[in-house]
Coordinates of all heavy atoms in Angstrom, one line a residue:
M1 N -26.1 20.7 13.5 CA -25.0 20.1 12.8 C -24.0 19.5 13.9 O -23.8 20.1 14.9 CB -24.2 21.2 12.0 CG -23.1 20.7 11.2 SD -22.5 22.0 10.1 CE -20.8 21.9 10.3
A2 N -23.6 18.3 13.5 CA -22.7 17.6 14.5 C -21.3 18.3 14.6 O -20.9 19.0 13.7 CB -22.5 16.2 13.9
D3 N -20.7 18.1 15.7 CA -19.3 18.6 15.9 C -18.4 18.1 14.8 O -18.3 16.9 14.6 CB -18.8 18.2 17.3 CG -17.5 18.8 17.6 OD1 -16.5 18.1 17.1 OD2 -17.4 19.8 18.3
P4 N -17.7 19.0 14.1 CA -16.9 18.6 13.0 C -15.8 17.6 13.3 O -15.5 16.7 12.6 CB -16.3 19.9 12.4 CG -17.3 20.9 12.8 CD -17.8 20.5 14.1
T5 N -15.2 17.8 14.5 CA -14.1 16.9 15.0 C -14.7 15.5 15.1 O -14.0 14.5 14.6 CB -13.5 17.4 16.3 OG1 -13.1 18.7 16.1 CG2 -12.4 16.5 16.7
I6 N -15.8 15.3 15.8 CA -16.4 14.0 16.0 C -16.8 13.4 14.6 O -16.6 12.2 14.4 CB -17.6 14.1 17.0 CG1 -17.0 14.5 18.3 CG2 -18.3 12.8 17.0 CD1 -18.1 14.8 19.4
L7 N -17.5 14.2 13.8 CA -17.9 13.8 12.5 C -16.8 13.3 11.7 O -16.8 12.2 11.0 CB -18.7 14.9 11.8 CG -19.6 14.6 10.7 CD1 -20.7 13.6 11.2 CD2 -20.3 15.8 10.2
R8 N -15.7 14.0 11.7 CA -14.5 13.6 10.9 C -13.9 12.3 11.4 O -13.6 11.4 10.6 CB -13.4 14.7 11.0 CG -12.2 14.4 10.1 CD -11.3 15.6 10.1 NE -11.8 16.7 9.2 CZ -12.3 17.8 9.6 NH1 -12.3 18.1 10.9 NH2 -12.8 18.7 8.8
E9 N -13.9 12.1 12.7 CA -13.4 10.9 13.3 C -14.3 9.7 12.9 O -13.8 8.6 12.6 CB -13.4 11.0 14.8 CG -12.2 11.8 15.3 CD -12.3 12.0 16.8 OE1 -13.0 11.2 17.5 OE2 -11.6 12.9 17.3
L10 N -15.6 9.9 12.9 CA -16.6 8.8 12.5 C -16.4 8.4 11.1 O -16.4 7.2 10.8 CB -18.0 9.3 12.8 CG -18.5 9.4 14.2 CD1 -19.8 10.1 14.3 CD2 -18.5 8.1 14.9
V11 N -16.3 9.4 10.2 CA -16.1 9.1 8.8 C -14.8 8.4 8.6 O -14.7 7.3 7.9 CB -16.1 10.4 7.9 CG1 -15.6 10.1 6.5 CG2 -17.4 11.0 7.9
E12 N -13.7 8.8 9.2 CA -12.4 8.1 9.1 C -12.4 6.7 9.6 O -11.9 5.8 9.0 CB -11.3 8.9 9.8 CG -11.0 10.2 9.1 CD -10.0 11.1 9.8 OE1 -9.6 10.8 11.0 OE2 -9.7 12.2 9.3
Q13 N -13.1 6.5 10.8 CA -13.2 5.2 11.3 C -14.0 4.3 10.4 O -13.6 3.1 10.2 CB -13.8 5.2 12.7 CG -12.9 5.8 13.8 CD -13.6 5.9 15.1 OE1 -14.6 5.2 15.4 NE2 -13.1 6.7 16.0
Y14 N -15.1 4.8 9.9 CA -16.0 4.0 9.1 C -15.2 3.5 7.8 O -15.2 2.4 7.5 CB -17.2 4.7 8.7 CG -18.1 3.9 7.8 CD1 -19.0 3.0 8.4 CD2 -18.1 3.9 6.4 CE1 -19.8 2.1 7.7 CE2 -18.9 3.1 5.7 CZ -19.8 2.2 6.3 OH -20.5 1.4 5.5
E15 N -14.5 4.5 7.2 CA -13.8 4.2 6.0 C -12.6 3.2 6.2 O -12.4 2.3 5.4 CB -13.3 5.5 5.3 CG -14.4 6.3 4.7 CD -14.0 7.6 4.2 OE1 -12.9 8.1 4.6 OE2 -14.7 8.2 3.4
T16 N -12.0 3.4 7.3 CA -10.8 2.5 7.7 C -11.3 1.1 8.0 O -10.8 0.1 7.4 CB -10.1 3.0 8.9 OG1 -9.6 4.3 8.6 CG2 -9.0 2.1 9.3
L17 N -12.4 1.0 8.8 CA -12.9 -0.4 9.1 C -13.6 -1.1 8.0 O -13.5 -2.3 7.9 CB -13.8 -0.3 10.3 CG -13.1 0.1 11.7 CD1 -14.2 0.3 12.7 CD2 -12.1 -1.0 12.1
S18 N -14.3 -0.3 7.2 CA -15.1 -1.0 6.1 C -14.3 -1.3 4.8 O -14.7 -2.0 4.0 CB -16.3 -0.2 5.8 OG -15.9 1.1 5.2
A19 N -13.1 -0.7 4.7 CA -12.2 -0.9 3.5 C -11.9 -2.4 3.3 O -12.1 -2.9 2.2 CB -11.0 -0.1 3.6
P20 N -11.5 -3.1 4.3 CA -11.1 -4.5 4.1 C -12.3 -5.5 4.3 O -12.2 -6.5 4.9 CB -10.0 -4.8 5.1 CG -10.4 -3.9 6.3 CD -11.0 -2.7 5.6
H21 N -13.5 -5.0 4.0 CA -14.8 -5.7 4.2 C -14.7 -7.1 3.5 O -14.8 -7.2 2.3 CB -16.0 -4.9 3.8 CG -17.2 -5.3 4.4 ND1 -18.4 -4.6 4.3 CD2 -17.5 -6.3 5.3 CE1 -19.3 -5.2 5.0 NE2 -18.8 -6.2 5.6
T22 N -14.6 -8.1 4.4 CA -14.6 -9.5 3.8 C -15.6 -10.4 4.6 O -15.9 -10.0 5.8 CB -13.2 -10.1 4.0 OG1 -12.9 -10.2 5.3 CG2 -12.1 -9.3 3.2
P23 N -16.0 -11.5 4.1 CA -16.9 -12.3 4.8 C -16.3 -12.9 6.1 O -17.0 -13.2 7.0 CB -17.2 -13.5 3.8 CG -16.8 -13.0 2.5 CD -15.7 -11.9 2.7
S24 N -15.0 -13.0 6.2 CA -14.4 -13.5 7.4 C -14.0 -12.4 8.4 O -13.3 -12.7 9.3 CB -13.1 -14.2 7.0 OG -12.2 -13.3 6.4
M25 N -14.6 -11.3 8.3 CA -14.4 -10.2 9.2 C -14.9 -10.6 10.6 O -15.9 -11.2 10.8 CB -15.2 -8.9 8.8 CG -15.0 -7.7 9.7 SD -15.9 -6.3 9.1 CE -15.0 -6.0 7.6
A26 N -14.1 -10.2 11.6 CA -14.4 -10.5 13.0 C -15.8 -9.9 13.4 O -16.1 -8.8 13.0 CB -13.3 -10.0 13.9
P27 N -16.6 -10.6 14.1 CA -17.9 -10.1 14.5 C -17.8 -8.8 15.3 O -18.6 -7.9 15.1 CB -18.4 -11.2 15.5 CG -17.7 -12.4 15.1 CD -16.4 -12.0 14.6
E28 N -16.7 -8.6 16.0 CA -16.5 -7.3 16.8 C -16.3 -6.2 15.8 O -16.8 -5.1 16.0 CB -15.3 -7.4 17.7 CG -15.5 -8.4 18.8 CD -15.1 -9.9 18.4 OE1 -14.5 -10.0 17.3 OE2 -15.5 -10.8 19.1
T29 N -15.6 -6.4 14.7 CA -15.3 -5.4 13.7 C -16.6 -5.1 13.0 O -16.9 -3.9 12.8 CB -14.2 -5.8 12.8 OG1 -13.0 -6.1 13.5 CG2 -13.9 -4.7 11.7
R30 N -17.3 -6.1 12.6 CA -18.6 -5.9 11.9 C -19.6 -5.1 12.8 O -20.2 -4.1 12.3 CB -19.2 -7.2 11.5 CG -20.4 -7.1 10.6 CD -20.9 -8.5 10.2 NE -19.9 -9.5 9.9 CZ -19.4 -9.6 8.6 NH1 -19.7 -8.7 7.7 NH2 -18.5 -10.5 8.4
Q31 N -19.6 -5.4 14.1 CA -20.5 -4.6 15.0 C -20.0 -3.2 15.1 O -20.9 -2.3 15.2 CB -20.5 -5.3 16.4 CG -21.4 -4.6 17.4 CD -22.9 -4.6 16.9 OE1 -23.4 -5.7 16.6 NE2 -23.5 -3.5 16.9
R32 N -18.7 -3.0 15.2 CA -18.2 -1.6 15.3 C -18.6 -0.8 14.0 O -19.0 0.4 14.2 CB -16.7 -1.6 15.5 CG -16.1 -0.3 15.6 CD -16.5 0.4 16.9 NE -15.9 1.7 17.0 CZ -16.5 2.8 17.4 NH1 -17.7 2.7 17.8 NH2 -15.9 4.0 17.4
I33 N -18.5 -1.4 12.9 CA -18.9 -0.7 11.6 C -20.4 -0.3 11.7 O -20.7 0.8 11.3 CB -18.6 -1.6 10.4 CG1 -17.1 -1.7 10.2 CG2 -19.2 -1.0 9.1 CD1 -16.7 -2.8 9.2
E34 N -21.2 -1.3 12.1 CA -22.6 -1.0 12.2 C -22.9 0.1 13.2 O -23.8 1.0 13.0 CB -23.4 -2.3 12.6 CG -23.4 -3.3 11.5 CD -24.1 -4.6 11.9 OE1 -24.7 -4.7 13.0 OE2 -23.9 -5.6 11.2
D35 N -22.2 0.1 14.4 CA -22.4 1.2 15.4 C -22.0 2.5 14.8 O -22.7 3.5 15.0 CB -21.5 0.9 16.6 CG -22.0 -0.3 17.4 OD1 -23.2 -0.8 17.2 OD2 -21.3 -0.8 18.2
I36 N -20.9 2.6 14.1 CA -20.4 3.8 13.5 C -21.4 4.3 12.4 O -21.7 5.5 12.4 CB -19.0 3.7 12.9 CG1 -18.0 3.5 14.1 CG2 -18.6 5.0 12.1 CD1 -16.6 3.1 13.6
A37 N -21.9 3.4 11.6 CA -22.9 3.7 10.6 C -24.1 4.3 11.2 O -24.6 5.3 10.7 CB -23.2 2.5 9.7
Y38 N -24.6 3.7 12.3 CA -25.8 4.2 13.0 C -25.5 5.6 13.5 O -26.4 6.5 13.3 CB -26.1 3.2 14.1 CG -27.2 3.8 15.0 CD1 -28.6 3.7 14.6 CD2 -27.0 4.4 16.2 CE1 -29.6 4.2 15.4 CE2 -28.0 4.9 17.0 CZ -29.3 4.8 16.6 OH -30.3 5.3 17.3
T39 N -24.4 5.8 14.1 CA -24.0 7.1 14.7 C -23.9 8.2 13.6 O -24.4 9.3 13.8 CB -22.7 7.1 15.5 OG1 -22.9 6.0 16.5 CG2 -22.4 8.4 16.2
L40 N -23.4 7.8 12.5 CA -23.3 8.7 11.3 C -24.7 9.1 10.9 O -25.0 10.3 10.6 CB -22.5 8.1 10.2 CG -21.0 8.2 10.3 CD1 -20.3 7.3 9.2 CD2 -20.5 9.7 10.0
C41 N -25.6 8.1 10.8 CA -26.9 8.4 10.3 C -27.7 9.3 11.3 O -28.3 10.3 10.9 CB -27.7 7.1 10.1 SG -27.2 6.1 8.7
V42 N -27.5 9.1 12.6 CA -28.2 9.9 13.6 C -27.6 11.3 13.5 O -28.3 12.3 13.6 CB -28.0 9.3 15.0 CG1 -28.5 10.3 16.1 CG2 -28.8 8.0 15.1
S43 N -26.3 11.4 13.4 CA -25.6 12.7 13.4 C -25.9 13.6 12.2 O -25.9 14.8 12.3 CB -24.1 12.5 13.5 OG -23.7 11.8 14.7
T44 N -26.3 12.9 11.1 CA -26.5 13.7 9.9 C -28.0 13.7 9.5 O -28.4 14.3 8.5 CB -25.7 13.1 8.7 OG1 -26.1 11.7 8.6 CG2 -24.2 13.2 8.9
G45 N -28.8 13.0 10.3 CA -30.3 13.0 10.0 C -30.7 12.2 8.8 O -31.6 12.6 8.1
T46 N -29.9 11.2 8.5 CA -30.2 10.3 7.4 C -30.5 8.9 7.8 O -30.4 8.6 9.0 CB -29.0 10.3 6.4 OG1 -27.8 9.8 7.1 CG2 -28.6 11.7 5.9
R47 N -30.9 8.1 6.9 CA -31.2 6.7 7.2 C -30.3 5.7 6.6 O -30.4 4.5 6.9 CB -32.7 6.4 6.8 CG -33.7 7.2 7.6 CD -35.0 6.8 7.2 NE -36.0 7.6 8.0 CZ -37.1 7.1 8.5 NH1 -37.4 5.9 8.3 NH2 -37.9 7.9 9.2
K48 N -29.5 6.1 5.6 CA -28.6 5.1 5.0 C -27.2 5.6 5.1 O -26.9 6.8 5.0 CB -29.0 5.0 3.5 CG -30.4 4.4 3.3 CD -30.7 4.1 1.9 CE -32.1 3.5 1.8 NZ -32.5 3.1 0.6
V49 N -26.3 4.7 5.2 CA -24.9 5.1 5.5 C -24.3 5.9 4.3 O -23.5 6.8 4.5 CB -24.0 3.9 5.9 CG1 -23.8 2.9 4.8 CG2 -22.7 4.3 6.5
R50 N -24.6 5.5 3.1 CA -24.1 6.3 2.0 C -24.5 7.7 2.0 O -23.8 8.6 1.8 CB -24.5 5.6 0.6 CG -23.8 4.3 0.4 CD -24.2 3.7 -0.9 NE -23.8 4.5 -2.0 CZ -22.8 4.2 -2.8 NH1 -22.0 3.2 -2.6 NH2 -22.5 5.0 -3.8
S51 N -25.8 7.9 2.4 CA -26.3 9.3 2.5 C -25.7 10.0 3.7 O -25.4 11.2 3.6 CB -27.8 9.3 2.7 OG -28.5 8.7 1.6
A52 N -25.4 9.3 4.8 CA -24.8 9.8 5.9 C -23.4 10.3 5.6 O -22.9 11.4 6.0 CB -24.8 8.8 7.1
L53 N -22.6 9.5 4.9 CA -21.3 9.8 4.5 C -21.2 11.0 3.6 O -20.4 11.9 3.8 CB -20.6 8.6 3.8 CG -20.2 7.5 4.7 CD1 -19.8 6.3 3.9 CD2 -19.1 7.8 5.7
A54 N -22.2 11.1 2.7 CA -22.2 12.3 1.8 C -22.6 13.5 2.6 O -22.0 14.6 2.4 CB -23.3 12.0 0.7
A55 N -23.6 13.4 3.5 CA -24.0 14.6 4.3 C -22.8 15.0 5.2 O -22.6 16.2 5.4 CB -25.2 14.2 5.1
A56 N -22.1 14.0 5.8 CA -21.0 14.3 6.7 C -19.9 15.1 5.9 O -19.3 16.0 6.4 CB -20.4 13.0 7.3
R57 N -19.6 14.6 4.7 CA -18.6 15.3 3.9 C -19.0 16.7 3.6 O -18.2 17.6 3.6 CB -18.3 14.5 2.6 CG -17.5 13.2 2.9 CD -17.1 12.5 1.7 NE -16.4 11.2 2.0 CZ -17.0 10.0 1.9 NH1 -18.2 9.9 1.3 NH2 -16.3 8.9 2.2
R58 N -20.3 16.9 3.3 CA -20.7 18.3 3.0 C -20.6 19.1 4.2 O -20.1 20.3 4.1 CB -22.2 18.3 2.5 CG -22.4 17.9 1.1 CD -23.8 18.1 0.6 NE -24.8 17.5 1.4 CZ -25.3 16.2 1.2 NH1 -24.7 15.5 0.3 NH2 -26.2 15.7 2.0
Q59 N -21.0 18.6 5.4 CA -20.9 19.4 6.6 C -19.4 19.7 6.9 O -19.1 20.8 7.4 CB -21.5 18.6 7.8 CG -23.0 18.6 7.7 CD -23.7 17.8 8.8 OE1 -23.0 17.7 9.9 NE2 -24.9 17.3 8.6
L60 N -18.6 18.7 6.7 CA -17.1 19.0 7.0 C -16.5 20.0 6.0 O -15.7 20.8 6.5 CB -16.4 17.7 6.9 CG -16.6 16.7 8.0 CD1 -16.0 15.3 7.7 CD2 -16.2 17.2 9.4
A61 N -17.0 20.0 4.8 CA -16.5 20.9 3.8 C -16.9 22.3 4.2 O -16.2 23.3 4.1 CB -17.0 20.6 2.4
M62 N -18.2 22.4 4.7 CA -18.7 23.8 5.1 C -17.9 24.2 6.4 O -17.6 25.4 6.5 CB -20.2 23.7 5.4 CG -21.0 23.6 4.1 SD -22.8 23.8 4.4 CE -23.1 22.6 5.7
A63 N -17.7 23.3 7.3 CA -17.0 23.6 8.5 C -15.5 24.1 8.2 O -15.0 24.9 8.9 CB -17.0 22.5 9.5
D64 N -14.9 23.4 7.2 CA -13.6 23.8 6.9 C -13.5 25.0 6.0 O -12.4 25.5 5.7 CB -12.9 22.6 6.1 CG -12.7 21.4 7.0 OD1 -12.7 21.6 8.3 OD2 -12.5 20.3 6.5
G65 N -14.6 25.5 5.5 CA -14.7 26.7 4.7 C -14.2 26.3 3.3 O -13.8 27.2 2.5
A66 N -14.2 25.0 2.9 CA -13.8 24.6 1.6 C -14.7 25.1 0.5 O -15.9 25.1 0.7 CB -13.7 23.1 1.5
S67 N -14.2 25.5 -0.6 CA -15.0 25.9 -1.7 C -15.2 24.7 -2.7 O -16.0 24.9 -3.6 CB -14.3 27.1 -2.5 OG -13.1 26.7 -2.9
E68 N -14.5 23.6 -2.5 CA -14.6 22.5 -3.4 C -15.8 21.7 -3.0 O -16.2 21.6 -1.9 CB -13.4 21.6 -3.4 CG -12.1 22.2 -3.9 CD -11.0 21.3 -3.9 OE1 -11.2 20.1 -4.1 OE2 -9.9 21.7 -3.6
T69 N -16.4 21.0 -4.0 CA -17.5 20.1 -3.8 C -16.9 18.8 -3.3 O -16.0 18.3 -3.9 CB -18.3 19.9 -5.1 OG1 -18.8 21.1 -5.6 CG2 -19.5 18.9 -4.8
P70 N -17.5 18.2 -2.2 CA -16.9 16.9 -1.7 C -17.1 15.8 -2.8 O -18.0 15.9 -3.6 CB -17.8 16.6 -0.5 CG -18.4 17.9 -0.1 CD -18.5 18.7 -1.4
Q71 N -16.2 14.9 -2.7 CA -16.3 13.7 -3.7 C -17.6 12.9 -3.4 O -18.0 12.7 -2.3 CB -15.1 12.8 -3.5 CG -13.8 13.5 -3.8 CD -13.7 13.8 -5.3 OE1 -14.1 13.0 -6.1 NE2 -13.1 14.9 -5.6
P72 N -18.2 12.4 -4.5 CA -19.4 11.6 -4.3 C -19.0 10.3 -3.7 O -17.9 9.8 -3.8 CB -19.9 11.4 -5.7 CG -18.8 11.8 -6.6 CD -17.9 12.7 -5.9
V73 N -20.0 9.7 -3.0 CA -19.8 8.4 -2.3 C -19.9 7.3 -3.3 O -20.7 7.2 -4.1 CB -20.8 8.2 -1.2 CG1 -20.5 6.9 -0.5 CG2 -20.6 9.4 -0.2

């Protein structure tokens, strides 16, 4: 399991950067999103970013001791 602090940062960064996803997005921003998505996939043992985000949220919920089910992606 990935370090919860790092995993939380990756999820937050991905969500922040991908929220204003537009065709005119700067190439550097698009590359950063792809890099974060790749790292999330590697960290969670998944191949798709949606699966990685879901797995990350589950891992974070377990690390936080939360009894609630994480929100679906």
Side-chain angles (χ1 to χ4, degrees):
M1 186 165 134
D3 180 278
T5 303
I6 293 170
L7 202 55
R8 185 171 285 109
E9 288 176 17
L10 288 169
V11 170
E12 289 173 1
Q13 287 178 21
Y14 183 84
E15 290 174 342
T16 299
L17 290 173
S18 63
H21 201 173
T22 63
S24 61
M25 182 180 291
E28 298 82 14
T29 303
R30 190 178 315 276
Q31 182 61 52
R32 181 68 182 137
I33 291 170
E34 290 176 14
D35 291 346
I36 293 169
Y38 173 80
T39 305
L40 277 167
C41 288
V42 170
S43 298
T44 58
T46 59
R47 292 181 180 224
K48 297 185 180 190
V49 71
R50 290 179 65 101
S51 299
L53 288 167
R57 288 187 183 107
R58 281 192 303 275
Q59 289 180 21
L60 290 171
M62 288 188 309
D64 292 341
S67 59
E68 294 183 36
T69 304
Q71 296 293 323
V73 180

